[in-house]
Amino acid sequence: MATQLKNLSDFSDIVVPSAAPYSFGIVVSEWNTEITNALYQGAHKSLLANGALASNISTYAVPGSFELTSGADLLLKNSKLDAVICLGCVIQGETRHFDFICNAVANGLTNVAVKYSKPVIFGVLTTNDQQQAIDRSGGKHGNKGDEAAITAIKMAHLATTLRR
């Protein structure tokens, strides 16, 4: 498995445009807060490290990962953001609930992105257990929040470039 071999948050081999001209929304799930807070810290820190102005980053909490879709939709309907980063964590349990939530969130966020023609970034961990979530939220495999922020910057830049 690729994640066992490297830190997935290593961006040393790619060019990341400056985030300075863009505004970002971050929607973060309150469920699994130990994990989602770490994802948020990673995303926020990466945006700032790549030139985003703190005043151009808006953060909103939603109860769980399922509500990320509604949160992203509300943000894009009521603001002029260049990209929305959605952060959550769904850990496999003993029922099919995991499958339903993961599919609904992935499809929902895709639909919101298409509806508004704006980047809506899937920063949701879908792990088998708590340890995998820890490893991907600032642990040995990096931070999915960092990855989501870099993706948001690159996609906001692409959208701006194509509008010219």
Side-chain angles (χ1 to χ4, degrees):
M1 176 156 63
T3 57
Q4 292 177 340
L5 303 177
K6 66 178 184 171
N7 180 328
L8 298 175
S9 300
D10 176 10
F11 304 105
S12 60
D13 61 338
I14 64 169
V15 175
V16 179
S18 172
Y22 308 116
S23 58
F24 302 93
I26 301 175
V27 183
V28 61
S29 167
E30 295 173 324
W31 192 260
N32 291 317
T33 56
E34 174 189 352
I35 303 302
T36 61
N37 285 341
L39 295 173
Y40 170 76
Q41 293 302 320
H44 194 264
K45 185 173 123 184
S46 289
L47 289 173
L48 294 174
N50 284 281
L53 303 174
S55 60
N56 287 343
I57 304 170
S58 302
T59 303
Y60 301 90
V62 295
S65 291
F66 186 79
E67 290 77 25
L68 292 171
T69 298
S70 298
D73 187 80
L74 288 166
L75 279 181
L76 289 173
K77 180 193 269 185
N78 296 299
S79 63
K80 296 190 182 296
L81 297 170
D82 294 297
V84 175
I85 300 166
C86 296
L87 303 172
C89 177
V90 185
I91 299 173
Q92 177 70 58
E94 295 178 8
T95 69
R96 295 191 57 217
H97 183 257
F98 174 87
D99 299 321
F100 295 126
I101 297 299
C102 294
N103 286 328
V105 175
N107 289 324
L109 295 181
T110 299
N111 290 334
V112 172
V114 170
K115 176 180 176 181
Y116 293 99
S117 295
K118 297 276 182 139
V120 177
I121 310 307
F122 185 85
V124 180
L125 294 177
T126 56
T127 63
N128 290 323
D129 56 45
Q130 182 79 10
Q131 188 58 53
Q132 285 180 342
I134 291 167
D135 291 345
R136 292 291 288 116
S137 61
K140 66 181 179 180
H141 295 307
N143 189 318
K144 181 81 169 172
D146 293 340
E147 297 165 34
I150 298 301
T151 301
I153 295 166
K154 290 178 71 80
M155 292 302 294
H157 179 73
L158 174 64
T160 301
T161 301
L162 293 175
R163 276 184 245 151
R164 290 182 188 155

